[in-house]
Amino acid sequence: MLKIEGLRKSYDGNEILKGISVDVSKGDVISIIGPSGSGKTTLLRNMTTLEQADGGHIQFADVDKDFQKLSSKDIQTIRRNVGFVFQNYNLFNNKTALQNITEGLIVARKVNKSEAKKIALEALERVGLSDRQNHYPSQLSGGQQQRVGIARAVALNPKVIFFDEPTSALDPELVGEVLKVMRDLAESGTTMVVVTHQMNFARNVSNKVIFMADGHIVEQGSPESIFEHPSEKRTQEFLTDILANV
Amino acid sequence: MLKIEGLRKSYDGNEILKGISVDVSKGDVISIIGPSGSGKTTLLRNMTTLEQADGGHIQFADVDKDFQKLSSKDIQTIRRNVGFVFQNYNLFNNKTALQNITEGLIVARKVNKSEAKKIALEALERVGLSDRQNHYPSQLSGGQQQRVGIARAVALNPKVIFFDEPTSALDPELVGEVLKVMRDLAESGTTMVVVTHQMNFARNVSNKVIFMADGHIVEQGSPESIFEHPSEKRTQEFLTDILANV
Amino acid sequence: GNHGSNKAQSSGKASSNKPTVIKVAYATTNFPITYQNSKKQGDGYDVAVMREVDKLLPQYKFDYVGTSDDDVLIGVKSDKYQVGVKNVFYTADRAKTYLYPKNYLGVSDSGFVVRTKDKDKFGGLAKLANNKGKLVPIAPQNGQYAVIADYNKTHNPKIDLGSADTFVVSDALKWVNEGRYDAFFAIRPMYEANVEKKNGANADLKGKLTYVTLGGIKTYPLFNKDQKALAAAYDKAIKKVIDSGKAAQLSEKYFGQDNFKLLNKPFK
Amino acid sequence: MSLNTDFMVKVAHTAIQGVPVTLQIVLVALLISLPVGCLFALIRIYRIKGLEQIVKLYVSFVRGTPIIAQILIVYSAFPSLLNMIIGKAAFSINPIYYAYIVFTLNSIATLTEVFRSALQTVDKGQLEAGLMVGMRPRQIFWRIILPQALISALPNITNATLYLMKNSSLAFIMSVKDITAIAKTEAAFNYNFLEAYLVVWVYYLIICYSAEVIFYLLERYFSKYRRSTKKTTYFNWQPFSIKQPNVSAEAELTESGRGDHAQNRRIKKKL
Amino acid sequence: MENIKLIINFLGQLLPAINITLIVSVSSIVLGSLLGLGLAAAKQSESAILRVFASIYVSVIRATPSIIMIFVVYYGMPLFFSAWFHINIEGWNRMYFVIIALTLLFSAPVSEIMRSAYGSVSKGQTEAGLMVGMTPFQTFYRIVLPQAFVVALPNFANSVINLMKEGALTFTIGVVDMVAKAQMIVANNSGGYAWQTYCALALIYWVISLAIDKGVTLVEKSYQAKRKTIAA
Ligand SMILES: Nc1ncnc2c1ncn2[C@@H]1O[C@H](COP(=O)(O)OP(=O)(O)OP(=O)(O)O)[C@@H](O)[C@H]1O
Ligand SMILES: Nc1ncnc2c1ncn2[C@@H]1O[C@H](COP(=O)(O)OP(=O)(O)OP(=O)(O)O)[C@@H](O)[C@H]1O
Ligand SMILES: [Mg+2]
Ligand SMILES: [Mg+2]
């Protein structure tokens, strides 16, 4: 459904992504793991056209082109078909929880207002925040903000939702509530690509795990194969490190 | 060495801290744990005079006074003797990683420039960021930013360092490194007060754990007593909750 | 309590051997009546006459302060300056605010600049009024504004009197030439400097425009209300300056003609 | 020196006719220059090729030249030029239109800079979030970025407006009779300029203060999302006092969208 | 050609007056900024009296046309001084009055510029500074101010350029800066050559304004790496 090939990206001459290929099928829940600075965030931002890649090919929705040749219409098509949940929430500061969700529906999808409100309320309900609909982001806890962020992406009913470390800015106590929401989404068949350090999520919820390091995909496969029989030394090291600290 | 008694703080009539007493001896590594909203951050901010407490007494450095009677000289004395690692980094946006560290040394401690730079480089080395010394915060990942924040506090070599959830924004992989730095600090005799959700740190590194809830200290004692034989029901509940999510 | 004024007055009467210093304010943008010359000194007809007056008054010493029109007026009113000169005409209203001396200080050759071909149509107050000519708006603080306003009080039809802040003379001349307006209220030296002189700013309009003298208007220095003694002394001195022909001489020098002669002719 | 109060009353009566004129000039100039200034600011921020240089030149030229010089061009030279094209009709244009032009051109330059600085206080994350819900940049700009930028723009827009209000008296050079012009004309008969100016001052105080209040209310409206549901006490001006009671959490929470990374501080439980 | 010669000639006559323009502007900018800073501080302070005072001051001054301000200072201040301090300042150089009037005029908008810029810097920045042991003033000066400064800069430049053009005020009490000089040149030419004179004046101001813009751009460029705005 979504296919990326040979994605490259450099900043100031430093190559951060050195040719990444990812294949997402409908219903996939893919976890991307890897050390800090390995390029996970950069990968997500380039796949979703938030940044312009230096090279590579994308096949998604009606688009089948090199990244560098994407027209603004293509970009709009891609963006209309993805959802993005940011590490630092990035809720619209000047909109209430409800408005944060209706905004995209009304403005980008041309859904009429009452319909948009209905969808938004459902989405809020799903993340357990119906009672917070009129709060501004500054009046919500981090966990609540992130759940609104998820509801915002979900409400648009995109083909794929991308998550960039959705729980890393949260207190462990609040992590549970967000993970539960994500697990529910996965179970209801939503296609998801999740950058995470939450190993139990990667292992138990996703059907595919990608391990990245230094701008390469070092290894990918089913959670079992990655967690139980990692074939690469780099993967083993990473897993040892990370599991020691939980 | 640092003694707080009966610390109280209200916001707009809501009492957040309801008379907290903390006793920190030289070399102590104290972990403060507790649910979100229990007042942990508020406690740290009031102990360090970032906010003015409504009542209570402090005994630290040369100061032995009620909070409300602190002169500006007292406040300066207290601040010169504490370090603070913020939950949200709070790096100086207009300074490079290196400058973030030298700033306090040169301006507040009157260390000469080359000496300050030496200390700062050492501190950066310790958190594994020597190669990022000339980056601005906006050019660093969240994990990198927080490590600079820790280096900044450490470099000042204060009597006590306060950490407000120092690893909550770090990737698990790096948590180990940072915890190692903190462990080293503990071993070299640095006194530390750490608000954390990192239970293995609380259990393995600290010599005293304080459990807070609703503005009270519910229970305090050695890590063993708190984690293995919590005497209060509230503590037990909290520990069950949090360990389920890791 | 204003120290300056009290001192000026009391010592003026005592007339000890030390002369009383009098501040004479002059507007610096009224060439050639009051202006600042290249040596940064006060100059112009009004200033020169005041210097003559000063010579005749040993008990006073005039000190000249160059400043803006507004400041001359407000300064004299508040006694910061005791006298002000800026080509001031007399009106009854103003005499309530300032002390006008009995004797005038000079005569201003005032007239209309009109297109030469329309000279007979607009070259006079009545002509302009009757032919519904358009007059370039006049700055209200300018004495000319009052002249037209006074004319309108007693005559019909009236002249369409518009006001605007001081505008640029050479532009006003152009406007008359191109027909935007029909007449421009000016003084002769201004017209001559711009149009008649060989390298004047509007020398290209020479022949196309004509200056029509309306008549001579008496100009006065303004005194602060409290300066009665000074005004009286001035009155005596100015009479001598005019009678001796010195003033006429200065008029020749600054205006290129003896404006006093205009007083014998009717105002058109 | 005593003030002629009868005269002041009289001036107050006549000068009031100038109020609508002053307001018209200010309103027209603002209504045009606010959107245009904003557009110009965006051109500069995004470095639109070609246009950026033009905007830069325009701003420096208009800001750099005295208004009187601009009036000279617009009011004196322009109609003469027009005269050659459309004939005498050029001279019957109401001079207030020239005033609109001069002051609009001026405000555009000022407001370009105001918006340029204000727009840059908004975090990039806001833009990205908008893109990711499928909004177009233009939609994000109107609905998300501009409202947030206005908080820091409004105090400066107020400055610009008051400056414009006061400068509009220069329109008298173009024979437009605003408050100041009428007062000056009155004063010309008896030379009571001081009194006239004092009356003018009172009018400006009233008008400017009303404008300030309006802008202040707007500022409050746009920053409503920054306020918690609780009322907060003023935080202390930090540089000059050592104690900082109530560095309020709200104040900090407002920054949550600004930092590059999440800020974990938040208000929990019912506010 | 004739015109260009004239303009150059007028440039020569105007330029000597740039001294006065610069002295007056620079002094009022420096003094006005300090006063503006104080006002911005007062507006944020705990003391209700200070806050109210600062608000009223800013409202009144911003509503005061420059010609009124200069008269208030030039005529009011000597009365005030002699009544309260029994000092006679009538004899002061008139330039001092101009500087005082401009300082007052400049301080009010600048205080608002500073207030809004200060508000755009995160409070966490101050706290971090305090916690590395800097005094509040050092924190303000070294951390908050530089960040607020970039935000304030374009607006500050607006105000500075406006101030430099306040020649009408200067001239009102007879201090001859460039604008005044231009008016006098026109007057002494019997109102002729105004276009050329103002053209020369505009050229000088344009150069100054270009220089200011250049400075602003340079400072902003040096900051580009340090902030992530919608532009980046
Ligand atoms: N705009 C940028 N300019 C320069 N370098 C950048 C930029 N963005 C990211 N980088 C660098 O690219 C590398 C990869 O960054 P990225 O944020 O993708 O890592 P990550 O895997 O998401 O790390 P983390 O787990 O810490 O979020 C880092 O070394 C970072 O310093
Ligand atoms: N400035 C403030 N004004 C009003 N209420 C505040 C303020 N600061 C904190 N609070 C409230 O005080 C309570 C304690 O907050 P605090 O940040 O100390 O909790 P915490 O234990 O650090 O929580 P977390 O683990 O989520 O960081 C919360 O209910 C919060 O809403
Ligand atoms: Mg990342
Ligand atoms: Mg906390």
Side-chain angles (χ1 to χ4, degrees):
Chain A
M1 185 183 65
L2 164 62
K3 204 168 170 158
I4 304 291
E5 259 162 45
L7 177 53
R8 298 180 170 278
K9 177 75 184 179
S10 306
Y11 291 121
D12 316 314
N14 275 343
E15 195 160 45
I16 305 296
L17 297 179
K18 301 169 180 167
I20 303 274
S21 302
V22 181
D23 197 343
V24 185
S25 308
K26 195 167 157 55
D28 266 357
V29 177
I30 300 183
S31 291
I32 302 179
I33 61 173
S36 188
S38 54
K40 304 181 298 294
T41 298
T42 308
L43 174 61
L44 251 51
R45 294 170 62 83
N46 281 277
M47 281 172 83
T48 54
T49 71
L50 260 185
E51 286 175 24
Q52 205 196 355
D54 299 334
H57 189 92
I58 182 168
Q59 198 180 322
F60 178 54
D62 300 330
V63 181
D64 185 358
K65 274 193 187 167
D66 281 358
F67 274 106
Q68 285 174 301
K69 290 182 188 146
L70 293 175
S71 67
S72 42
K73 207 170 139 281
D74 296 330
I75 291 181
Q76 206 55 31
T77 310
I78 295 174
R79 287 194 190 142
R80 291 245 164 134
N81 284 290
V82 302
F84 203 105
V85 177
F86 294 85
Q87 181 174 8
N88 51 341
Y89 329 136
N90 276 348
L91 295 188
F92 303 133
N93 295 325
N94 56 334
K95 305 276 169 181
T96 62
L98 189 76
Q99 289 168 343
N100 258 280
I101 303 174
T102 54
E103 201 65 14
L105 289 166
I106 298 171
V107 177
R109 299 286 155 94
K110 311 285 179 223
V111 176
N112 74 47
K113 275 194 189 170
S114 61
E115 178 67 12
K117 194 171 168 188
K118 222 187 89 212
I119 299 175
L121 279 174
E122 252 166 48
L124 275 180
E125 181 74 52
R126 224 167 148 177
V127 298
L129 283 176
S130 332
D131 58 328
R132 287 286 188 279
Q133 51 171 294
N134 295 323
H135 285 53
Y136 286 100
S138 65
Q139 298 164 335
L140 296 171
S141 82
Q144 292 166 340
Q145 286 188 57
Q146 190 58 298
R147 276 143 70 198
V148 174
I150 294 174
R152 181 171 67 177
V154 166
L156 293 165
N157 194 25
K159 288 203 165 66
V160 192
I161 304 182
F162 292 83
F163 294 79
D164 188 5
E165 306 190 28
T167 59
S168 73
L170 298 176
D171 305 337
E173 227 203 354
L174 302 172
V175 169
E177 59 186 42
V178 173
L179 285 183
K180 187 176 164 301
V181 170
M182 289 172 65
R183 195 171 281 143
D184 288 351
L185 285 178
E187 271 157 24
S188 69
T190 314
T191 314
M192 296 163 43
V193 176
V194 186
V195 169
T196 185
H197 286 286
Q198 215 63 41
M199 290 305 142
N200 55 352
F201 179 89
R203 188 191 295 222
N204 303 328
V205 184
S206 51
N207 65 337
K208 189 165 148 196
V209 176
I210 294 177
F211 173 65
M212 273 183 77
D214 292 329
H216 289 290
I217 292 185
V218 176
E219 197 172 350
Q220 57 182 311
S222 68
E224 296 77 40
S225 69
I226 299 285
F227 284 99
E228 265 130 60
H229 324 287
S231 54
E232 299 289 325
K233 200 162 150 262
R234 190 75 189 79
T235 319
Q236 288 165 18
E237 279 170 12
F238 174 76
L239 289 172
T240 327
D241 263 12
I242 209 164
L243 293 173
N245 278 313
V246 182
Chain B
M1 186 184 65
L2 165 63
K3 205 170 170 159
I4 305 290
E5 258 163 41
L7 176 53
R8 294 179 173 279
K9 177 72 184 180
S10 306
Y11 292 119
D12 312 314
N14 275 343
E15 197 161 44
I16 305 296
L17 297 180
K18 301 170 178 165
I20 303 275
S21 301
V22 181
D23 197 343
V24 186
S25 308
K26 195 167 157 50
D28 266 358
V29 178
I30 299 183
S31 291
I32 302 179
I33 63 173
S36 202
S38 54
K40 306 181 295 297
T41 297
T42 308
L43 173 61
L44 251 51
R45 293 169 62 83
N46 280 277
M47 282 171 83
T48 54
T49 71
L50 259 185
E51 286 175 26
Q52 202 191 4
D54 300 334
H57 189 92
I58 181 168
Q59 199 179 321
F60 178 55
D62 300 330
V63 181
D64 185 358
K65 276 194 185 164
D66 281 359
F67 273 106
Q68 286 175 300
K69 289 182 188 146
L70 292 175
S71 67
S72 24
K73 209 171 137 281
D74 295 332
I75 291 180
Q76 208 55 31
T77 309
I78 295 172
R79 287 193 190 143
R80 293 246 163 132
N81 285 290
V82 302
F84 202 105
V85 177
F86 292 87
Q87 206 168 0
N88 51 344
Y89 332 134
N90 278 347
L91 293 190
F92 304 134
N93 295 323
N94 57 332
K95 306 274 170 183
T96 62
L98 189 77
Q99 287 168 345
N100 257 280
I101 304 174
T102 54
E103 199 65 15
L105 290 165
I106 296 171
V107 178
R109 298 286 153 92
K110 312 284 178 223
V111 176
N112 72 48
K113 278 193 187 169
S114 60
E115 178 69 11
K117 193 171 169 189
K118 222 187 88 214
I119 299 175
L121 281 175
E122 254 167 47
L124 276 179
E125 181 76 51
R126 249 167 144 170
V127 296
L129 284 175
S130 331
D131 57 329
R132 287 286 187 277
Q133 51 172 295
N134 294 322
H135 285 55
Y136 287 99
S138 64
Q139 298 166 328
L140 296 172
S141 78
Q144 293 165 336
Q145 285 189 59
Q146 185 61 303
R147 282 142 74 196
V148 174
I150 293 170
R152 180 171 67 178
V154 165
L156 291 165
N157 194 24
K159 284 204 168 66
V160 191
I161 305 182
F162 291 84
F163 294 80
D164 189 4
E165 306 189 27
T167 59
S168 71
L170 294 180
D171 305 332
E173 215 203 5
L174 296 168
V175 170
E177 272 179 38
V178 173
L179 289 182
K180 188 174 165 302
V181 171
M182 290 171 68
R183 198 173 280 144
D184 287 351
L185 284 175
E187 270 157 26
S188 68
T190 313
T191 315
M192 308 191 322
V193 176
V194 186
V195 170
T196 186
H197 288 284
Q198 212 64 40
M199 289 306 143
N200 58 349
F201 179 88
R203 190 192 291 222
N204 302 328
V205 183
S206 53
N207 63 339
K208 193 164 147 193
V209 177
I210 294 177
F211 174 64
M212 275 184 75
D214 292 329
H216 288 290
I217 292 185
V218 176
E219 197 170 352
Q220 57 182 309
S222 69
E224 295 78 39
S225 68
I226 298 286
F227 284 99
E228 265 130 61
H229 323 287
S231 53
E232 300 288 326
K233 196 159 151 269
R234 191 77 189 77
T235 319
Q236 287 163 18
E237 281 169 10
F238 173 76
L239 290 173
T240 327
D241 260 13
I242 205 162
L243 293 174
N245 274 317
V246 182
Chain C
N2 195 317
H3 306 296
S5 76
N6 297 340
K7 226 192 288 163
Q9 249 181 340
S10 54
S11 54
K13 270 175 197 148
S15 79
S16 55
N17 29 12
K18 246 202 181 159
T20 309
V21 174
I22 296 297
K23 283 203 171 142
V24 181
Y26 65 94
T28 49
T29 50
N30 268 328
F31 183 86
I33 299 150
T34 60
Y35 67 99
Q36 207 172 58
N37 62 24
S38 51
K39 285 178 232 138
K40 301 208 168 160
Q41 283 162 345
D43 207 339
Y45 173 83
D46 280 11
V47 176
V49 171
M50 286 307 278
R51 288 195 206 280
E52 293 300 323
V53 169
D54 188 15
K55 281 185 200 155
L56 299 178
L57 300 175
Q59 69 273 40
Y60 295 109
K61 183 182 169 305
F62 288 2
D63 226 3
Y64 297 88
V65 183
T67 188
S68 67
D69 281 310
D70 276 334
D71 191 39
V72 169
L73 295 177
I74 293 179
V76 171
K77 191 178 176 198
S78 74
D79 208 25
K80 188 159 210 133
Y81 316 122
Q82 287 72 47
V83 191
V85 285
K86 59 177 273 294
N87 195 35
V88 174
F89 300 168
Y90 177 91
T91 74
D93 276 334
R94 290 175 193 168
K96 288 180 200 143
T97 316
Y98 296 92
L99 177 61
Y100 272 84
K102 288 195 196 71
N103 294 330
Y104 58 92
L105 152 111
V107 177
S108 169
D109 179 346
S110 306
F112 281 166
V113 179
V114 293
R115 288 181 294 279
T116 311
K117 60 177 159 74
D118 291 330
K119 188 178 164 191
D120 297 329
K121 221 168 143 197
F122 302 122
L125 291 173
K127 287 179 190 165
L128 187 72
N130 291 331
N131 292 318
K132 301 216 171 351
K134 284 200 305 190
L135 181 65
V136 176
I138 305 173
Q141 62 269 35
N142 193 325
Q144 296 157 349
Y145 187 87
V147 172
I148 305 287
D150 281 345
Y151 174 86
N152 280 347
K153 268 186 207 147
T154 50
H155 293 76
N156 240 328
K158 297 184 194 317
I159 295 174
D160 183 12
L161 173 60
S163 62
D165 228 336
T166 317
F167 208 80
V168 173
V169 173
S170 53
D171 282 5
L173 294 172
K174 259 187 239 152
W175 294 343
V176 172
N177 180 53
E178 67 192 12
R180 189 164 170 176
Y181 293 98
D182 299 311
F184 172 44
F185 202 150
I187 53 173
R188 179 185 288 279
M190 189 181 270
Y191 166 78
E192 283 176 349
N194 280 291
V195 182
E196 299 290 334
K197 245 174 54 190
K198 218 162 86 209
N199 55 351
N202 298 82
D204 54 322
L205 301 180
K206 189 170 175 182
K208 293 181 188 158
L209 296 181
T210 304
Y211 176 84
V212 184
T213 299
L214 299 176
I217 302 174
K218 294 172 184 166
T219 64
Y220 294 82
L222 289 174
F223 288 81
N224 177 270
K225 278 270 187 203
D226 295 334
Q227 300 295 345
K228 294 203 176 67
L230 176 61
Y234 158 87
D235 271 330
K236 274 189 209 134
I238 191 71
K239 206 163 162 23
K240 283 184 204 157
V241 174
I242 293 175
D243 290 350
S244 70
K246 184 73 197 165
Q249 231 175 319
L250 288 170
S251 176
E252 288 280 1
K253 175 178 173 197
Y254 287 100
F255 302 132
Q257 65 179 27
D258 179 1
N259 284 352
F260 289 93
K261 288 188 182 138
L262 294 172
L263 289 178
N264 310 324
K265 297 180 188 159
F267 205 86
K268 321 188 257 185
Chain D
M1 178 176 67
S2 63
L3 293 177
N4 183 341
T5 45
D6 292 344
F7 176 68
M8 289 175 81
V9 172
K10 184 171 167 237
V11 173
H13 273 292
T14 43
I16 206 161
Q17 291 156 10
V19 173
V21 177
T22 301
L23 290 181
Q24 264 170 46
I25 296 176
V26 172
L27 278 179
V28 169
L30 271 187
L31 287 179
I32 300 174
S33 61
L34 279 171
V36 177
C38 198
L39 190 75
F40 280 15
L42 285 170
I43 288 174
R44 282 209 57 188
I45 289 175
Y46 288 109
R47 311 178 156 275
I48 313 277
K49 272 204 206 75
L51 292 180
E52 188 200 0
Q53 292 309 320
I54 295 174
V55 168
K56 261 180 147 167
L57 200 72
Y58 169 81
V59 170
S60 77
F61 178 75
V62 172
R63 284 203 310 183
T65 50
I67 293 189
I68 171 102
Q70 295 162 19
I71 290 177
L72 217 59
I73 295 169
V74 172
Y75 179 62
S76 187
F78 179 69
S80 299
L81 204 77
L82 212 59
N83 174 38
M84 296 176 191
I85 305 163
I86 64 166
K88 286 270 153 62
F91 299 140
S92 49
I93 294 172
N94 187 337
I96 198 159
Y97 290 105
Y98 297 120
Y100 292 158
I101 295 173
V102 169
F103 292 106
T104 303
L105 291 178
N106 258 281
S107 308
I108 288 175
T110 311
L111 290 177
T112 300
E113 293 300 284
V114 168
F115 278 111
R116 201 165 63 81
S117 97
L119 288 169
Q120 304 211 54
T121 63
V122 179
D123 179 60
K124 204 184 171 196
Q126 299 290 308
L127 175 70
E128 295 183 344
L131 291 175
M132 280 298 122
V133 298
M135 290 158 83
R136 291 180 177 280
R138 193 160 37 92
Q139 296 169 320
I140 302 169
F141 177 78
W142 281 114
R143 308 180 61 96
I144 310 294
I145 293 175
L146 188 62
Q148 294 183 39
L150 277 177
I151 297 172
S152 95
L154 276 166
N156 296 306
I157 295 178
T158 316
N159 273 344
T161 306
L162 301 193
Y163 186 78
L164 172 64
M165 193 106 65
K166 293 191 281 175
N167 263 348
S168 65
S169 67
L170 286 174
F172 191 31
I173 296 178
M174 301 180 268
S175 79
V176 172
K177 285 167 201 64
D178 72 328
I179 304 172
T180 314
I182 295 177
K184 269 184 171 174
T185 309
E186 284 295 328
F189 293 107
N190 52 15
Y191 279 172
N192 280 322
F193 280 95
L194 191 62
E195 284 85 345
Y197 281 133
L198 288 174
V199 172
V200 168
W201 193 10
V202 172
Y203 277 122
Y204 277 117
L205 278 174
I206 295 170
I207 299 174
C208 290
Y209 190 71
S210 317
E212 261 185 61
V213 169
I214 292 169
F215 282 116
Y216 175 72
L217 291 177
L218 281 174
E219 189 184 335
R220 274 198 16 161
Y221 170 79
F222 282 110
S223 53
K224 68 174 187 294
Y225 70 84
R226 285 186 170 188
R227 294 198 303 272
S228 77
T229 42
K230 278 184 304 199
K231 86 168 197 296
T232 51
T233 50
Y234 276 82
F235 58 83
N236 204 358
W237 173 258
Q238 297 170 351
F240 301 112
S241 75
I242 281 231
K243 293 182 184 176
Q244 283 101 40
N246 304 329
V247 175
S248 63
E250 282 74 31
E252 194 177 344
L253 284 165
T254 62
E255 314 300 336
S256 64
R258 185 169 289 124
D260 292 320
H261 289 267
Q263 308 211 348
N264 289 353
R265 218 170 145 61
R266 65 197 74 102
I267 292 192
K268 271 123 197 166
K269 313 282 142 71
K270 283 121 254 167
L271 285 168
Chain E
M1 208 52 234
E2 233 357 76
N3 284 336
I4 294 176
K5 253 197 226 145
L6 274 169
I7 290 173
I8 292 170
N9 173 19
F10 290 138
L11 273 178
Q13 295 185 45
L14 285 173
L15 274 173
I18 203 173
N19 278 338
I20 304 289
T21 301
L22 288 183
I23 293 172
V24 166
S25 314
V26 171
S27 341
S28 346
I29 288 165
V30 171
L31 295 174
S33 302
L34 291 176
L35 184 54
L37 193 65
L39 286 166
K43 262 204 165 175
Q44 315 270 344
S45 92
E46 293 162 274
S47 151
I49 299 171
L50 274 181
R51 281 204 309 273
V52 169
F53 171 80
S55 306
I56 293 177
Y57 175 94
V58 170
S59 296
V60 169
I61 300 285
R62 284 204 295 183
T64 304
S66 46
I67 186 156
I68 291 166
M69 178 57 80
I70 187 62
F71 280 129
V72 168
V73 170
Y74 188 49
Y75 289 97
M77 235 177 65
L79 293 181
F80 178 80
F81 266 64
S82 66
W84 286 80
F85 310 117
H86 303 289
I87 302 172
N88 182 7
I89 60 169
E90 294 265 3
W92 273 12
N93 187 329
R94 283 182 282 178
M95 204 158 76
Y96 295 153
F97 293 103
V98 169
I99 291 174
I100 292 169
L102 283 178
T103 298
L104 296 177
L105 278 178
F106 191 63
S107 64
V110 158
S111 80
E112 283 297 282
I113 292 171
M114 291 179 173
R115 183 177 69 84
S116 78
Y118 178 78
S120 73
V121 178
S122 151
K123 301 296 164 288
Q125 297 289 309
T126 305
E127 296 186 346
L130 296 176
M131 279 298 121
V132 297
M134 290 193 238
T135 63
F137 183 75
Q138 287 168 332
T139 311
F140 173 73
Y141 181 72
R142 303 184 60 96
I143 307 299
V144 179
L145 194 62
Q147 294 182 53
F149 185 66
V150 237
V151 177
L153 208 54
N155 297 308
F156 193 74
N158 270 342
S159 288
V160 164
I161 291 170
N162 284 342
L163 174 90
M164 298 200 60
K165 292 195 288 184
E166 281 284 11
L169 179 149
T170 321
F171 183 50
T172 298
I173 63 169
V175 174
V176 183
D177 75 336
M178 285 195 296
V179 178
K181 183 71 195 174
Q183 289 181 13
M184 284 166 58
I185 291 174
V186 173
N188 285 5
N189 281 320
S190 291
Y193 304 117
W195 179 82
Q196 292 86 343
T197 313
Y198 285 115
C199 195
L201 180 68
L203 271 177
I204 299 175
Y205 273 107
W206 195 11
V207 168
I208 295 176
S209 133
L210 277 175
I212 291 176
D213 279 347
K214 190 81 202 155
V216 171
T217 312
L218 282 180
V219 175
E220 286 184 332
K221 268 222 181 90
S222 76
Y223 254 83
Q224 214 52 58
K226 305 178 194 175
R227 46 182 198 160
K228 260 194 183 160
T229 75
I230 58 164

